[in-house]
Amino acid sequence: MEPIISNFLTRFEKGSLGRRDLVRGLAMLAASGTAAPAQENIDFKGANIDHVSIHVADLQRSVDFYQKMFGFSLVSQEQPREIIRLGNTKTLVSLNRGSPAGIVDHFAIEIPRFSRESAVRYLTQRGATPLEGDYAGLHVKDPDGINVQISSQS
């Protein structure tokens, strides 16, 4: 918890954080009580890209392309939602029938020692608004509106 308080004070002293925001942040930190140590264990520095999800017009055509070009195998699929996951040992590309085709629906970052509560607190303290995803997991929008899924390492 000490690094968080130190960060608040440094930002306040540099003028990038107002007095009200300092007090509000410290109050929220104090109100979090025993949950704060769990937040400190989350490790975004050890993050990896888990997968990229792409909207496609024709699932089979896209599956054929990724298998032929990159040697990917079927990792999993969800037929009701028309999602096929391809990769070598884990998912690298997630293909979903979607419109408009040819766009990145989202990409996922896997975090060591992930817990939803810790990740929500971490993101909120840094000014982001955590969102529930269409399919699964915790999401946040980057400054340009790209959907970033935050998940646990498998």
Side-chain angles (χ1 to χ4, degrees):
M1 189 177 311
E2 186 177 333
I4 297 169
I5 294 169
S6 178
N7 182 17
F8 278 142
L9 291 174
T10 300
R11 290 173 52 203
F12 175 73
E13 290 167 352
K14 289 182 177 179
S16 65
L17 187 67
R19 186 183 348 222
R20 269 198 176 132
D21 291 328
L22 172 66
V23 171
R24 184 179 306 132
L26 292 173
M28 287 176 53
L29 191 59
S32 69
T34 59
Q39 182 271 332
E40 292 175 352
N41 290 333
I42 197 162
D43 183 12
F44 276 80
K45 290 179 182 172
N48 292 304
I49 298 294
D50 181 70
H51 68 270
V52 175
S53 176
I54 304 168
H55 282 186
V56 299
D58 183 323
L59 275 172
Q60 192 57 55
R61 181 181 68 189
S62 295
V63 167
D64 292 345
F65 170 83
Y66 283 97
Q67 288 179 330
K68 180 180 178 182
M69 291 297 135
F70 305 109
F72 290 169
S73 305
L74 177 69
V75 174
S76 68
Q77 66 182 2
E78 291 181 48
Q79 288 185 340
R81 294 195 319 207
E82 296 185 280
I83 299 172
I84 297 178
R85 296 177 188 93
L86 302 172
N88 294 323
T89 58
K90 61 178 247 168
T91 303
L92 298 172
V93 177
S94 179
L95 306 171
N96 338 225
R97 181 185 300 273
S99 182
I103 67 161
V104 173
D105 173 59
H106 71 274
F107 69 93
I109 295 177
E110 58 182 18
I111 308 297
R113 297 183 305 275
F114 173 86
S115 84
R116 180 185 268 327
E117 299 78 26
S118 295
V120 166
R121 191 171 30 261
Y122 182 93
L123 295 168
T124 302
Q125 288 175 345
R126 285 156 181 80
T129 303
L131 308 166
E132 291 297 319
D134 292 339
Y135 300 121
L138 178 66
H139 295 250
V140 66
K141 297 279 186 183
D142 84 352
D144 293 308
I146 295 173
N147 196 13
V148 181
Q149 179 181 6
I150 313 294
S151 62
S152 63
Q153 285 186 328
S154 349

